[in-house]
Amino acid sequence: MPTIKDVARRAGVSLGTASRVLSGGGNTSPKARSQVQAAAAELNYIANGPARSLRSTRTNVLGLLVSDIRNPFFSEIAHAAEREAMRLGYTVLLANANEDETQADEYLRIFASQRIDGLLLAPQGPASPQLESMLKSGLPVVLLNRLVEGLDAPSFATDNSQGVGLVLDWLQTRGHRDVAFVGGPNSISTGAERMAAYRAGRESHGINTDDAFIDAGDFLADGAERAMMRILERGKRPTAVFGANGPTTLGALRALRWVLGASEASRVEVVSFDDLEWFEFVSPAISAVRHDAAAIGTAGVTGLLELIAGQPVASQRISTTFIDRSV
Amino acid sequence: MPTIKDVARRAGVSLGTASRVLSGGGNTSPKARSQVQAAAAELNYIANGPARSLRSTRTNVLGLLVSDIRNPFFSEIAHAAEREAMRLGYTVLLANANEDETQADEYLRIFASQRIDGLLLAPQGPASPQLESMLKSGLPVVLLNRLVEGLDAPSFATDNSQGVGLVLDWLQTRGHRDVAFVGGPNSISTGAERMAAYRAGRESHGINTDDAFIDAGDFLADGAERAMMRILERGKRPTAVFGANGPTTLGALRALRWVLGASEASRVEVVSFDDLEWFEFVSPAISAVRHDAAAIGTAGVTGLLELIAGQPVASQRISTTFIDRSV
């Protein structure tokens, strides 16, 4: 594990300066601060200050790092986790990665030096050295919704292939053949699993297997809008669009309206992985896979408290339901 | 300020037990834990443990307590505050009051015992003794969006009466006379200010001054739905509905569709304080006052860092714009 000496060397500052920056004490220049913080980030340095000596002390505070707090799915997970934690005498501090690996690592570093008893984590992509260090340091961690290959932490996640199966069945029943699929990043388990399940099931559900109907964004609205634009720019005119999460569906809808106009766009049926509160008000109403954010948040807290108590915890896959809003 | 002895007495446990619970160390029974925590909450006890001795140490971590993380206005504030803080070398830990004063106080207590340099707070109602204690302890605090009468902390808030003025002008231009107003709690400054501005401006804008057209919820969707139901149950049939925040507008819309049916409901024009990402997709599209969550979050962080640096900070009112989606 990197030491404060490594950080000082990397930052090109004295040991005293690095120490002052990392402990937050004394006067340091903004330049030294940013150099030392950058070096600490690059080396995945975990503060070894006064807070670490408190690790043996329970605080009844849990950390929760979500992928995107503006995504209602994650704000719902956060809300449910917090209620369950409160019920059990714990409180939850929340941090937002904004679908960004670097920002996620920054918060992992903060949580490592704060006084938390355990961490609920919706990870960004594969395991970072920062995350590996935290697990090695003995902090109890559970994963929410997204998995990380090879990481030794129990997970509480949506059954993505079951959920995509419900969408495929619905698309077939509605007679759609030219379906556009707007996915998420392949580096995130939910992005990869939903895309794989969709590709695997297309043909048997009578859906066009032309890959020009498929594109992927970053699970945020703007990236999904661009992905949908690319599909339309390839000259594809789908009769249905499947968005791989809530913000993705929003972005796809914007692109459809922008390119086709409101009237033409309203002839395209839209279906979403993630049910949002406003889908019933759109014309035509948007059907959706509802995954149970509340169940994931609640099960995650229960699992984490079992881990903290030293008990073995098994991973869970949580089933989805389908909300059919077609007439 | 209450001491740990007061907490032990109130909880009916020994001083040793109270101390073990509050410091998180040693073995304590679940019953003792809940008794001590309840007593600490009732007395607004602020932990005096090891973390307090770290107050002189800077952590570059800010606390942010929002009113309702599922309200996009607050998740947007959180997102903006976090980005601005990151840019300036700080990170933000987030907590969610869920529009609940008790839960807000619980998080204030957590933040008081965590290692944060300052607090951004969207308060629930009037100042609690817990909040007063924190200010007295010297923790820098700024208020976001909501004000607290008589509290010595700078605030960064939407100009509510200017925003309501924009809605009144629009209602008049659209020729509405029978307008339903669904407000928020009078105990929260935004609820009180929006209601007062609406009442004050009704008559001069040609709007029916019958108070049976007015009701209020809790700024959450379910409470607003019930408030809108009460207006409709009084036999009032508005031609326009004005929701006093985003979740309130959602709840009002649900009640309209439920009572009148989708077709009849679509003849009622809806206008909202808070612009939500899906308002453009509803038929008819919902017009809205857009208050600048990003500006509030960013200005709040700047102000808090100035406070932390010992500089004087002036409160700001931030102007709104109106998004007219009527045809």
Side-chain angles (χ1 to χ4, degrees), chain A residues 23-24 51 57-58 60 70 76 79 82 91-92 94 96 98 103 107 110 113-115 250 277-278, chain B residues 23-24 37 51 57-58 60 70 76 79 82 91-92 94 96 98 103 107 110 114-115 250 277-278:
Chain A
S23 72
T57 305
R58 292 264 296 278
N60 293 335
R70 294 186 296 177
E76 189 68 43
H79 177 70
E82 175 182 72
T91 39
V92 175
L94 193 57
N96 174 31
N98 199 39
Q103 190 160 329
Y107 276 112
I110 296 294
S113 67
Q114 289 283 126
R115 305 171 67 217
L250 173 65
E277 59 190 18
W278 50 273
Chain B
S23 71
Q37 282 166 353
T57 305
R58 293 263 296 278
N60 294 336
R70 294 185 297 176
E76 189 69 43
H79 177 70
E82 175 182 74
T91 38
V92 175
L94 192 58
N96 173 31
N98 199 40
Q103 189 160 330
Y107 276 112
I110 296 294
Q114 289 284 125
R115 306 171 64 216
L250 172 66
E277 58 189 17
W278 50 272

Side-chain angles (χ1 to χ4, degrees), chain A residues 45-77:
Chain A
Y45 173 78
I46 293 182
N48 213 350
R52 295 288 284 176
S53 64
L54 300 169
R55 173 57 49 79
S56 58
T57 305
R58 292 264 296 278
T59 58
N60 293 335
V61 178
L62 309 177
L64 168 57
L65 177 60
V66 297
S67 308
D68 172 16
I69 197 61
R70 294 186 296 177
N71 177 344
F73 174 70
F74 286 108
S75 57
E76 189 68 43
I77 283 187

